Structures are given as structure tokens and as C-alpha cells.
């Protein structure tokens, strides 16, 4: 297995990359209220955008893992570049703030060690710039899969200093308001969680915007 960094994904890899991405993050369609998955045209635009680096793990069967990273925050319309420009003006100006749109690995034996290899490769460019990196993690992946802690452990293994310190930047919650009749319970159980993956496969730990 090797990890290649590409400014633009070759056209002959686009279908395989889309299939990998769709399979990897499909469950987020029903686990997160906010839309986390890109539509196909958005995915194609990201794969063609040279401001966003594509880190692709390849084995004999094809794509075993994939992650995307950018230090051009204006290339991502769903985050507020102004937030980072205001709070870290020097780092923003120097392009030392990095955003990981998504990172994921294949299921089973093909995915063993892939996520760590991806993060190690991505971390190298961040460390070279003496930068910081941030992710967008839905509450399910934070609470059920402990993804912030897991990413911190992976980045600590990948970083030359041997340590990655996580800090929460922001959080958003969605609330539903109902108008129950007298014979209905005042409070209902939250509708959260997923008994199984939509494709029937085991759960996968991934980071996604």
C-alpha cells in the first residue's frame, strides 16, 4: 500500500473514488441532521480543485483510503473563512490553517493501517508549515465513535512531536418542537443512532465534513 498526494484526481480514477466515498460515508445521510455528504457534482468539483490536496491510499485492488486537505479555506463554501481570519489572522494570512474535508479507509483487511498512513501523510504537510488542522465531526461520531479522541491518538502517532492536542472550536445542535395532545407523553426519546450500516456492513470510523 502506498499513499499518493494529487492536486487533481485523474479522470480515470473518478468513478472509483466516488464509489469509495459514497460507500464510506453513506450512513451519515441518516445519522446527521446537517448534510455531510457531497453531491456528485460537488465531489467532482473538489476532485478537480487544485487548491485541495487529495491523499489517496492505493493497493493492488485500487483505492484503499482517501483524504482531502486544504489550507485555502475560501475553497470550502460550507465553512466560514471569516471565522478563522478573525481568530487567527496571521496563521490565516500565512496559509497555516488546514481543513480536512474527509478521510476514510476501506473495510476489513484492506483498511488495516490505512487511516494512520493517510493521517501521517497529511500531517507531514501541516507540520512543514508549522500549522494547525481542524475537522468537522457530527455528534454521533463524537459520542458513539469517540472520533475526536481517536483522531488525536492517530495524529499523535503521526506527528514528529508525538502529541496532538484537540480543542473544540464550535458546536451546533438541531432541536425539534412538537405540540403534544393531552394523552401524549411530554418528552420523547431522542431519535439517534444506527443499529447497522445502510449497506449491512460493520461500522467504520471516519472523519467527514
Amino acid at each position: 500500500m502506498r499513499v499518493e498526494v494529487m492536486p487533481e484526481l485523474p479522470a480515470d480514477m473518478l468513478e472509483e473514488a466516488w464509489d469509495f466515498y459514497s460507500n464510506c460515508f453513506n450512513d451519515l445521510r441518516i445519522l446527521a441532521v446537517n448534510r455531510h455528504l457531497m453531491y456528485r457534482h460537488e465531489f467532482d468539483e473538489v476532485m478537480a480543485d487544485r487548491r485541495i490536496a487529495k491523499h489517496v491510499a492505493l493497493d493492488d485492488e485500487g483505492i484503499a483510503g482517501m483524504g482531502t486537505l486544504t489550507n485555502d479555506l475560501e475553497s470550502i463554501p460550507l465553512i466560514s473563512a471569516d471565522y478563522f481570519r478573525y481568530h487567527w489572522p496571521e496563521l490565516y494570512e500565512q496559509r497555516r490553517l488546514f481543513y480536512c474535508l474527509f478521510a476514510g479507509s476501506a473495510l476489513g483487511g484492506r483498511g488495516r493501517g490505512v487511516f494512520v498512513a493517510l493521517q501521517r501523510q497529511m500531517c507531514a504537510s501541516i507540520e512543514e508549515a508549522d500549522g494547525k488542522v481542524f475537522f468537522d465531526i457530527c455528534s454521533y461520531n463524537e459520542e458513539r465513535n469517540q472520533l475526536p479522541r481517536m483522531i488525536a491518538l492517530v495524529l499523535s502517532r503521526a506527528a514528529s512531536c508525538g502529541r496532538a492536542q484537540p480543542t473544540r472550536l464550535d458546536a451546533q445542535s438541531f432541536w425539534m418542537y412538537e405540540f403534544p395532545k393531552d394523552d401524549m407523553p411530554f418528552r420523547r426519546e431522542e431519535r439517534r443512532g444506527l443499529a447497522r450500516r445502510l449497506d449491512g456492513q460493520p461500522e467504520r470510523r471516519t472523519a467527514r465534513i
Side-chain angles (χ1 to χ4, degrees):
M1 189 271 293
R2 68 188 189 279
V3 178
E4 296 186 8
V5 184
M6 309 174 186
E8 184 175 354
L9 197 73
D12 60 359
M13 294 182 62
L14 198 55
E15 286 299 325
E16 183 185 1
W18 170 251
D19 289 343
F20 173 86
Y21 170 82
S22 300
N23 178 61
C24 199
F25 302 106
N26 188 42
D27 290 347
L28 288 177
R29 292 191 297 107
I30 62 171
L31 287 174
V33 176
N34 200 37
R35 182 169 68 90
H36 281 247
L37 269 68
M38 291 181 277
Y39 295 128
R40 177 59 192 266
H41 73 277
E42 294 172 324
F43 181 83
D44 290 350
E45 289 170 1
V46 167
M47 294 301 104
D49 193 333
R50 299 180 67 86
R51 297 172 296 177
I52 303 170
K54 293 80 184 172
H55 297 253
V56 185
L58 298 166
D59 61 15
D60 293 339
E61 298 180 42
I63 297 176
M66 190 172 184
T68 50
L69 188 70
T70 184
N71 61 354
D72 188 337
L73 303 187
E74 292 185 353
S75 68
I76 310 299
L78 293 181
I79 62 173
S80 174
D82 290 335
Y83 173 90
F84 296 92
R85 184 186 294 112
Y86 177 83
H87 290 280
W88 295 278
E90 290 187 7
L91 293 180
Y92 182 89
E93 186 68 25
Q94 297 166 2
R95 298 289 177 88
R96 292 165 56 198
L97 295 171
F98 293 79
Y99 180 45
C100 177
L101 288 77
F102 67 86
S105 59
L107 287 171
R110 286 190 67 205
R112 187 172 297 114
V114 171
F115 194 74
V116 173
L118 279 175
Q119 293 301 317
R120 182 173 291 117
Q121 181 70 55
M122 297 165 81
C123 195
S125 57
I126 300 166
E127 284 196 291
E128 183 179 355
D130 191 21
K132 304 177 187 290
V133 63
F134 63 100
F135 299 76
D136 178 7
I137 301 171
C138 71
S139 59
Y140 179 84
N141 273 334
E142 178 177 353
E143 297 168 12
R144 172 64 174 82
N145 290 328
Q146 298 292 305
L147 203 54
R149 178 178 176 273
M150 190 268 283
I151 291 174
L153 292 174
V154 172
L155 291 179
S156 294
R157 292 175 59 186
S160 60
C161 68
R163 182 184 181 192
Q165 177 64 50
T167 301
R168 181 191 293 275
L169 296 183
D170 192 14
Q172 184 172 353
S173 61
F174 292 80
W175 291 79
M176 176 183 288
Y177 294 85
E178 300 181 75
F179 304 91
K181 307 301 182 185
D182 291 341
D183 58 345
M184 294 179 66
F186 178 73
R187 185 182 181 89
R188 295 187 180 182
E189 294 296 324
E190 293 185 9
R191 294 177 173 86
R192 302 178 63 184
L194 184 66
R196 57 180 173 79
R197 284 176 50 84
L198 293 181
D199 56 11
Q201 298 296 317
E203 287 188 39
R204 180 204 325 265
R205 293 184 177 182
T206 52
R208 167 70 179 100
I209 63 175

